[in-house]
mmCIF file of all heavy atoms in Angstrom:
data_model
loop_
_atom_site.group_PDB
_atom_site.id
_atom_site.type_symbol
_atom_site.label_atom_id
_atom_site.label_comp_id
_atom_site.label_asym_id
_atom_site.label_seq_id
_atom_site.Cartn_x
_atom_site.Cartn_y
_atom_site.Cartn_z
ATOM 1 N N TYR A 162 -1.967 2.689 -5.062
ATOM 2 C CA TYR A 162 -0.891 2.430 -4.104
ATOM 3 C C TYR A 162 -0.910 1.007 -3.512
ATOM 4 O O TYR A 162 -1.929 0.311 -3.576
ATOM 5 C CB TYR A 162 -0.938 3.454 -2.970
ATOM 6 C CG TYR A 162 -2.148 3.318 -2.157
ATOM 7 C CD1 TYR A 162 -2.238 2.545 -0.982
ATOM 8 C CD2 TYR A 162 -3.338 4.055 -2.484
ATOM 9 C CE1 TYR A 162 -3.390 2.476 -0.211
ATOM 10 C CE2 TYR A 162 -4.553 3.870 -1.822
ATOM 11 C CZ TYR A 162 -4.526 3.109 -0.615
ATOM 12 O OH TYR A 162 -5.711 3.002 0.070
ATOM 13 N N GLU A 176 -1.259 -4.148 1.998
ATOM 14 C CA GLU A 176 -2.583 -3.756 1.403
ATOM 15 C C GLU A 176 -2.333 -3.301 0.009
ATOM 16 O O GLU A 176 -1.299 -2.664 -0.325
ATOM 17 C CB GLU A 176 -3.235 -2.686 2.196
ATOM 18 C CG GLU A 176 -3.651 -3.083 3.582
ATOM 19 C CD GLU A 176 -4.437 -1.960 4.277
ATOM 20 O OE1 GLU A 176 -4.771 -0.917 3.704
ATOM 21 O OE2 GLU A 176 -4.669 -2.092 5.527
ATOM 22 N N VAL A 177 -3.368 -3.556 -0.856
ATOM 23 C CA VAL A 177 -3.429 -3.021 -2.232
ATOM 24 C C VAL A 177 -4.718 -2.268 -2.313
ATOM 25 O O VAL A 177 -5.743 -2.718 -1.859
ATOM 26 C CB VAL A 177 -3.456 -4.185 -3.257
ATOM 27 C CG1 VAL A 177 -3.570 -3.624 -4.676
ATOM 28 C CG2 VAL A 177 -2.184 -5.052 -3.163
ATOM 29 N N ILE A 178 -4.676 -1.052 -2.968
ATOM 30 C CA ILE A 178 -5.846 -0.231 -3.083
ATOM 31 C C ILE A 178 -7.018 -1.086 -3.635
ATOM 32 O O ILE A 178 -6.878 -2.010 -4.413
ATOM 33 C CB ILE A 178 -5.615 0.984 -3.990
ATOM 34 C CG1 ILE A 178 -6.724 1.986 -3.888
ATOM 35 C CG2 ILE A 178 -5.340 0.518 -5.399
ATOM 36 C CD1 ILE A 178 -6.444 3.252 -4.563
ATOM 37 N N SER A 179 -8.228 -0.681 -3.146
ATOM 38 C CA SER A 179 -9.434 -1.342 -3.711
ATOM 39 C C SER A 179 -10.428 -0.324 -4.166
ATOM 40 O O SER A 179 -10.281 0.879 -3.915
ATOM 41 C CB SER A 179 -10.081 -2.197 -2.597
ATOM 42 O OG SER A 179 -10.787 -1.349 -1.706
ATOM 43 N N ASN A 180 -11.479 -0.793 -4.805
ATOM 44 C CA ASN A 180 -12.508 0.056 -5.250
ATOM 45 C C ASN A 180 -13.362 0.647 -4.034
ATOM 46 O O ASN A 180 -13.943 1.668 -4.200
ATOM 47 C CB ASN A 180 -13.425 -0.643 -6.224
ATOM 48 C CG ASN A 180 -12.732 -0.973 -7.478
ATOM 49 O OD1 ASN A 180 -11.650 -0.437 -7.811
ATOM 50 N ND2 ASN A 180 -13.212 -1.890 -8.273
ATOM 51 N N VAL A 181 -13.335 -0.069 -2.965
ATOM 52 C CA VAL A 181 -14.060 0.407 -1.762
ATOM 53 C C VAL A 181 -13.406 1.624 -1.182
ATOM 54 O O VAL A 181 -14.063 2.526 -0.596
ATOM 55 C CB VAL A 181 -14.031 -0.695 -0.672
ATOM 56 C CG1 VAL A 181 -14.594 -0.240 0.610
ATOM 57 C CG2 VAL A 181 -14.810 -1.937 -1.188
ATOM 58 N N ASN A 182 -12.126 1.849 -1.418
ATOM 59 C CA ASN A 182 -11.351 2.897 -0.694
ATOM 60 C C ASN A 182 -11.165 4.169 -1.500
ATOM 61 O O ASN A 182 -10.380 4.973 -1.140
ATOM 62 C CB ASN A 182 -9.993 2.299 -0.244
ATOM 63 C CG ASN A 182 -9.299 3.173 0.742
ATOM 64 O OD1 ASN A 182 -9.945 3.967 1.472
ATOM 65 N ND2 ASN A 182 -8.017 3.120 0.767
ATOM 66 N N ILE A 183 -11.737 4.289 -2.692
ATOM 67 C CA ILE A 183 -11.469 5.469 -3.502
ATOM 68 C C ILE A 183 -12.711 6.176 -3.998
ATOM 69 O O ILE A 183 -12.682 6.837 -5.048
ATOM 70 C CB ILE A 183 -10.565 5.169 -4.708
ATOM 71 C CG1 ILE A 183 -11.224 4.126 -5.616
ATOM 72 C CG2 ILE A 183 -9.178 4.685 -4.234
ATOM 73 C CD1 ILE A 183 -10.488 3.969 -6.924
ATOM 74 N N GLU A 204 -10.368 -10.073 0.748
ATOM 75 C CA GLU A 204 -11.296 -9.061 0.135
ATOM 76 C C GLU A 204 -11.501 -7.801 0.989
ATOM 77 O O GLU A 204 -11.536 -7.989 2.254
ATOM 78 C CB GLU A 204 -12.622 -9.673 -0.195
ATOM 79 C CG GLU A 204 -12.486 -10.772 -1.213
ATOM 80 C CD GLU A 204 -13.682 -10.846 -2.182
ATOM 81 O OE1 GLU A 204 -14.413 -9.834 -2.311
ATOM 82 O OE2 GLU A 204 -13.830 -11.909 -2.758
ATOM 83 N N PRO A 205 -11.616 -6.658 0.409
ATOM 84 C CA PRO A 205 -11.863 -5.432 1.186
ATOM 85 C C PRO A 205 -13.271 -5.451 1.742
ATOM 86 O O PRO A 205 -14.190 -6.091 1.231
ATOM 87 C CB PRO A 205 -11.738 -4.349 0.156
ATOM 88 C CG PRO A 205 -11.910 -4.979 -1.164
ATOM 89 C CD PRO A 205 -11.491 -6.416 -1.017
ATOM 90 N N THR A 206 -13.428 -4.715 2.873
ATOM 91 C CA THR A 206 -14.748 -4.531 3.457
ATOM 92 C C THR A 206 -14.886 -3.098 3.874
ATOM 93 O O THR A 206 -13.892 -2.436 4.039
ATOM 94 C CB THR A 206 -14.935 -5.442 4.702
ATOM 95 O OG1 THR A 206 -13.989 -5.099 5.665
ATOM 96 C CG2 THR A 206 -14.846 -6.863 4.376
ATOM 97 N N LEU A 207 -16.126 -2.639 4.079
ATOM 98 C CA LEU A 207 -16.323 -1.298 4.586
ATOM 99 C C LEU A 207 -15.781 -1.287 6.042
ATOM 100 O O LEU A 207 -15.824 -2.283 6.722
ATOM 101 C CB LEU A 207 -17.793 -0.907 4.537
ATOM 102 C CG LEU A 207 -18.359 -0.808 3.102
ATOM 103 C CD1 LEU A 207 -19.837 -0.588 3.176
ATOM 104 C CD2 LEU A 207 -17.675 0.313 2.354
ATOM 105 N N GLY A 208 -15.316 -0.147 6.505
ATOM 106 C CA GLY A 208 -14.808 -0.037 7.830
ATOM 107 C C GLY A 208 -13.299 -0.003 7.923
ATOM 108 O O GLY A 208 -12.671 0.530 6.998
ATOM 109 N N PRO A 209 -12.732 -0.693 8.822
ATOM 110 C CA PRO A 209 -11.290 -0.633 9.071
ATOM 111 C C PRO A 209 -10.439 -1.362 8.033
ATOM 112 O O PRO A 209 -9.221 -1.239 8.065
ATOM 113 C CB PRO A 209 -11.081 -1.130 10.456
ATOM 114 C CG PRO A 209 -12.231 -2.045 10.717
ATOM 115 C CD PRO A 209 -13.406 -1.501 9.908
ATOM 116 N N THR A 210 -11.057 -2.155 7.137
ATOM 117 C CA THR A 210 -10.240 -2.916 6.167
ATOM 118 C C THR A 210 -10.737 -2.716 4.736
ATOM 119 O O THR A 210 -11.190 -3.646 4.106
ATOM 120 C CB THR A 210 -10.178 -4.439 6.508
ATOM 121 O OG1 THR A 210 -11.517 -4.916 6.516
ATOM 122 C CG2 THR A 210 -9.532 -4.651 7.817
ATOM 123 N N PRO A 211 -10.678 -1.475 4.183
ATOM 124 C CA PRO A 211 -11.235 -1.236 2.880
ATOM 125 C C PRO A 211 -10.315 -1.605 1.724
ATOM 126 O O PRO A 211 -10.706 -1.315 0.568
ATOM 127 C CB PRO A 211 -11.493 0.283 2.907
ATOM 128 C CG PRO A 211 -10.343 0.768 3.799
ATOM 129 C CD PRO A 211 -10.126 -0.276 4.891
ATOM 130 N N ASN A 212 -9.188 -2.169 1.968
ATOM 131 C CA ASN A 212 -8.272 -2.501 0.897
ATOM 132 C C ASN A 212 -8.071 -4.033 0.809
ATOM 133 O O ASN A 212 -8.385 -4.740 1.805
ATOM 134 C CB ASN A 212 -6.882 -1.885 1.110
ATOM 135 C CG ASN A 212 -6.844 -0.421 0.839
ATOM 136 O OD1 ASN A 212 -7.529 0.101 -0.083
ATOM 137 N ND2 ASN A 212 -6.069 0.332 1.557
ATOM 138 N N TRP A 213 -7.572 -4.480 -0.308
ATOM 139 C CA TRP A 213 -7.167 -5.891 -0.413
ATOM 140 C C TRP A 213 -6.017 -6.051 0.623
ATOM 141 O O TRP A 213 -5.175 -5.207 0.734
ATOM 142 C CB TRP A 213 -6.738 -6.198 -1.781
ATOM 143 C CG TRP A 213 -7.905 -6.243 -2.757
ATOM 144 C CD1 TRP A 213 -8.322 -5.135 -3.453
ATOM 145 C CD2 TRP A 213 -8.718 -7.332 -3.084
ATOM 146 N NE1 TRP A 213 -9.446 -5.542 -4.176
ATOM 147 C CE2 TRP A 213 -9.668 -6.835 -3.972
ATOM 148 C CE3 TRP A 213 -8.680 -8.661 -2.668
ATOM 149 C CZ2 TRP A 213 -10.678 -7.706 -4.531
ATOM 150 C CZ3 TRP A 213 -9.706 -9.499 -3.245
ATOM 151 C CH2 TRP A 213 -10.667 -9.005 -4.138
ATOM 152 N N ARG A 214 -5.978 -7.199 1.354
ATOM 153 C CA ARG A 214 -5.131 -7.316 2.500
ATOM 154 C C ARG A 214 -4.586 -8.708 2.638
ATOM 155 O O ARG A 214 -5.244 -9.677 2.389
ATOM 156 C CB ARG A 214 -6.014 -6.938 3.695
ATOM 157 C CG ARG A 214 -5.438 -7.110 5.014
ATOM 158 C CD ARG A 214 -6.564 -6.785 6.015
ATOM 159 N NE ARG A 214 -6.193 -6.899 7.365
ATOM 160 C CZ ARG A 214 -6.074 -5.878 8.215
ATOM 161 N NH1 ARG A 214 -6.320 -4.712 7.820
ATOM 162 N NH2 ARG A 214 -5.649 -6.125 9.442
ATOM 163 N N ARG A 264 -4.360 2.457 11.547
ATOM 164 C CA ARG A 264 -4.323 2.027 10.154
ATOM 165 C C ARG A 264 -5.356 2.806 9.316
ATOM 166 O O ARG A 264 -5.072 3.196 8.228
ATOM 167 C CB ARG A 264 -4.497 0.535 10.058
ATOM 168 C CG ARG A 264 -3.257 -0.276 10.276
ATOM 169 C CD ARG A 264 -3.407 -1.739 9.852
ATOM 170 N NE ARG A 264 -4.386 -2.429 10.597
ATOM 171 C CZ ARG A 264 -4.187 -2.929 11.813
ATOM 172 N NH1 ARG A 264 -2.994 -2.804 12.402
ATOM 173 N NH2 ARG A 264 -5.062 -3.642 12.452
ATOM 174 N N GLU A 265 -6.507 2.981 9.927
ATOM 175 C CA GLU A 265 -7.538 3.731 9.168
ATOM 176 C C GLU A 265 -7.144 5.138 8.935
ATOM 177 O O GLU A 265 -7.322 5.632 7.823
ATOM 178 C CB GLU A 265 -8.872 3.673 9.967
ATOM 179 C CG GLU A 265 -10.055 4.228 9.176
ATOM 180 C CD GLU A 265 -11.374 3.958 9.798
ATOM 181 O OE1 GLU A 265 -11.428 3.224 10.832
ATOM 182 O OE2 GLU A 265 -12.393 4.396 9.248
ATOM 183 N N ARG A 268 -4.266 5.279 6.274
ATOM 184 C CA ARG A 268 -4.552 4.740 4.961
ATOM 185 C C ARG A 268 -4.786 5.861 3.985
ATOM 186 O O ARG A 268 -5.357 6.890 4.296
ATOM 187 C CB ARG A 268 -5.806 3.838 5.042
ATOM 188 C CG ARG A 268 -6.062 3.019 3.843
ATOM 189 C CD ARG A 268 -7.153 1.959 4.066
ATOM 190 N NE ARG A 268 -6.686 0.865 4.808
ATOM 191 C CZ ARG A 268 -6.983 0.584 6.073
ATOM 192 N NH1 ARG A 268 -7.847 1.327 6.725
ATOM 193 N NH2 ARG A 268 -6.447 -0.419 6.698
ATOM 194 N N VAL A 269 -4.388 5.680 2.821
ATOM 195 C CA VAL A 269 -4.501 6.723 1.753
ATOM 196 C C VAL A 269 -5.879 6.691 1.232
ATOM 197 O O VAL A 269 -6.411 5.638 0.786
ATOM 198 C CB VAL A 269 -3.473 6.461 0.650
ATOM 199 C CG1 VAL A 269 -3.539 7.542 -0.404
ATOM 200 C CG2 VAL A 269 -2.057 6.419 1.255
ATOM 201 N N HIS A 270 -6.497 7.840 1.129
ATOM 202 C CA HIS A 270 -7.827 7.985 0.559
ATOM 203 C C HIS A 270 -7.697 8.923 -0.658
ATOM 204 O O HIS A 270 -7.160 10.008 -0.513
ATOM 205 C CB HIS A 270 -8.841 8.544 1.533
ATOM 206 C CG HIS A 270 -9.081 7.604 2.674
ATOM 207 N ND1 HIS A 270 -9.988 6.576 2.612
ATOM 208 C CD2 HIS A 270 -8.490 7.501 3.849
ATOM 209 C CE1 HIS A 270 -10.019 5.929 3.758
ATOM 210 N NE2 HIS A 270 -9.137 6.466 4.546
#
Side-chain angles (χ1 to χ4, degrees):
Y162 63 93
E176 296 185 8
V177 176
I178 191 171
S179 80
N180 295 343
V181 172
N182 194 29
I183 60 169
E204 297 213 23
T206 61
L207 294 175
T210 59
N212 287 324
W213 291 89
R214 174 185 179 111
R264 276 194 297 280
E265 188 168 357
R268 192 170 282 111
V269 180
H270 296 275

